[in-house]
Amino acid sequence: STQKKRLNLDFCVEAMGEEAAQLIINAFVDGLAKGRNLPLLLEHSKSGVTSTVQMDKARTALSIRANGRVQRVPFESIMQISVGAEKAVDFDLPLHDLCVALLLEDEQTIYAFEFEDDEARDTFALCLGMFVDQRRSEAEAEEPPPLIESGPPAALPSVPRQVPSRPKSV
């Protein structure tokens, strides 16, 4: 799905030109830097609650404020971005065509937001997808190389030990 988003983004940039795409991305960043009010959909509920979604200055995470609580969501923890109602059954949320759902790496946490129209929905999904992909690449580059698993040392082939024989006393 990341590959699909990348192709969509490349197509959009090609279709509208780099300058227009940059303007859209800048507007997205500016809007999220200030904080954007979005309805947050909840399980087993017909209507969502108002949430404020904000991107940090480093552009590495979202803060989601709802019901008096704030949750920080690092971009690299977002495993999937779904657009529309495609995952409604899987998520048990009242998703519809104007929704974007974020599935986090624990595969249990889902944030689903509702948008006023398909353009706002698509812009949010594509731009957020870009930042998530970028952050994942950076995070992978920052990770130290994996350590070689060191368990108990492998058994060396055993060589029969010959105990020097003691001279026999006479």
Side-chain angles (χ1 to χ4, degrees):
S1 84
T2 302
Q3 185 72 23
K4 184 177 177 184
K5 276 189 222 95
R6 176 64 62 209
L7 292 174
N8 287 344
L9 184 64
D10 291 342
F11 174 76
C12 289
V13 169
E14 191 176 305
M16 65 179 137
E18 219 170 297
E19 286 180 30
Q22 193 60 53
L23 289 173
I24 290 171
I25 293 166
N26 290 346
F28 171 81
V29 169
D30 291 345
L32 279 184
K34 294 173 188 166
R36 183 170 175 187
N37 290 330
L38 293 172
L40 176 66
L41 301 177
L42 303 173
E43 286 183 323
H44 313 296
S45 174
K46 295 273 187 227
S47 63
V49 299
T50 300
S51 68
T52 302
V53 180
Q54 190 170 20
M55 185 174 5
D56 65 356
K57 288 180 179 158
R59 299 180 186 176
T60 61
L62 291 177
S63 289
I64 302 169
R65 287 185 200 88
N67 293 333
R69 295 175 48 201
V70 178
Q71 182 66 43
R72 184 176 184 277
V73 179
F75 288 154
E76 63 269 21
S77 73
I78 299 173
M79 297 304 294
Q80 182 180 0
I81 300 172
S82 298
V83 175
E86 65 185 62
K87 295 287 184 181
V89 175
D90 296 348
F91 293 162
D92 199 20
L93 289 168
L95 298 179
H96 53 79
D97 287 342
L98 297 177
C99 293
V100 172
L102 311 178
L103 176 65
L104 303 191
E105 63 191 349
D106 65 5
E107 296 186 7
Q108 302 295 315
T109 308
I110 300 147
Y111 292 100
F113 303 102
E114 187 174 17
F115 293 85
E116 60 275 7
D117 57 43
D118 57 352
E119 185 178 333
R121 175 204 64 200
D122 292 347
T123 300
F124 183 87
L126 284 171
C127 290
L128 183 61
M130 276 182 14
F131 285 101
V132 167
D133 289 347
Q134 179 182 345
R135 183 62 195 134
R136 283 186 165 282
S137 296
E138 291 169 358
E140 287 170 11
E142 291 169 4
E143 279 184 21
L147 295 174
I148 297 172
E149 292 286 325
S150 62
L156 296 173
S158 60
V159 177
R161 292 178 66 193
Q162 293 183 348
V163 179
S165 56
R166 293 187 182 155
K168 292 185 182 178
S169 37
V170 187

